[in-house]
């Protein structure tokens, strides 16, 4: 089994899509560790604010198979792939870490994800896995978050409850 950390985000009906995605992840993978959710400005385009969170789970799937499963999850929730890469999204789910694997693969499969440089990915992972060490730099998620210039990308805590 591999320990995996995912980043989930949405800026189109985010509460509905994130809650549904968490339910499907639980159904497929069992127990999840789920971070608090955070609202932040969109990055890379002018769009509605995103709500993001992180999930830790254990899986027997290889990275490519997990990535395919996650793409199908996004598709089930209306993810459009015929629009620019940086655009509004019903659901965006990325593998940020897969144990200590370093991989550049097909289908934008990049582990660890470069988006870890953004508060909306780093903060939720630091919340649920503060001691996890980045496989390239060796710094813990808590250390990376402590060094992050938080004023550059403000986050607002967001409840997913109705």
């Amino acid at each position: 089994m591999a320990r995996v950390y995912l980043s989930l985000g949405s800026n189109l009906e985010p509460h509905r899509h994130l809650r549904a995605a968490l339910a499907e992840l639980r159904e497929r993978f069992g127990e999840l560790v789920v971070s608090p959710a955070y609202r932040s400005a969109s990055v890379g385009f002018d769009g509605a604010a995103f709500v993001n969170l992180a999930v830790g789970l254990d899986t027997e799937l290889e990275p490519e198979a997990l990535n395919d499963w996650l793409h199908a999850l996004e598709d089930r929730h209306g993810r459009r792939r015929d629009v620019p890469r940086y655009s509004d999204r019903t659901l965006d789910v990325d593998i940020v870490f897969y144990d200590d694997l370093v991989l550049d693969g097909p289908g934008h499969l990049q582990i660890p994800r470069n988006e870890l440089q953004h508060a909306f990915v780093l903060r939720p992972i630091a919340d649920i896995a503060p001691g996890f060490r980045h496989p390239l730099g060796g710094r813990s998620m808590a250390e990376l978050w402590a060094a992050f210039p938080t004023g550059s990308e403000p986050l607002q805590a967001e409840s997913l409850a109705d």
Side-chain angles (χ1 to χ4, degrees):
M1 295 290 267
R3 185 61 169 180
V4 174
Y5 293 100
L6 307 175
S7 175
L8 285 74
S10 173
N11 75 335
L12 296 173
E13 297 182 75
H15 293 188
R16 177 169 74 91
H17 291 291
L18 291 171
R19 284 194 311 260
L22 289 171
E24 285 194 52
L25 287 166
R26 279 188 184 97
E27 184 178 315
R28 171 60 180 87
F29 299 101
E31 185 177 335
L32 307 176
V33 178
V34 181
S35 77
Y38 297 95
R39 181 172 291 272
S40 64
S42 59
V43 172
F45 71 101
D46 186 22
F50 272 79
V51 176
N52 292 87
L53 56 88
V55 169
L57 58 84
D58 295 315
T59 182
E60 76 289 349
L61 293 176
E62 293 297 320
E64 294 82 1
L66 176 60
N67 198 48
D68 289 346
W69 192 92
L70 295 171
H71 280 173
L73 171 67
E74 292 172 336
D75 293 346
R76 285 192 297 277
H77 291 277
R79 171 74 183 266
R80 294 190 52 199
R81 300 194 191 277
D82 61 341
V83 295
R85 183 166 163 87
Y86 295 104
S87 60
D88 293 320
R89 297 181 179 177
T90 54
L91 187 61
D92 185 28
V93 184
D94 293 314
I95 304 168
V96 181
F97 293 111
Y98 184 102
D99 283 337
D100 61 357
L101 183 67
V102 176
L103 173 71
D104 272 315
H108 300 289
L109 181 58
Q110 175 193 63
I111 302 171
R113 294 291 294 190
N114 279 341
E115 287 85 355
L116 194 64
Q117 69 185 321
H118 294 293
F120 64 85
V121 175
L122 178 58
R123 172 69 189 272
I125 291 180
D127 285 342
I128 62 172
F132 183 82
R133 297 203 169 272
H134 195 291
L136 295 175
R139 293 175 72 192
S140 73
M141 295 302 103
E143 290 169 332
L144 290 171
W145 180 245
F148 192 88
T150 54
S152 66
E153 293 183 18
L155 298 176
Q156 178 182 357
E158 179 90 4
S159 172
L160 291 184
D162 285 331

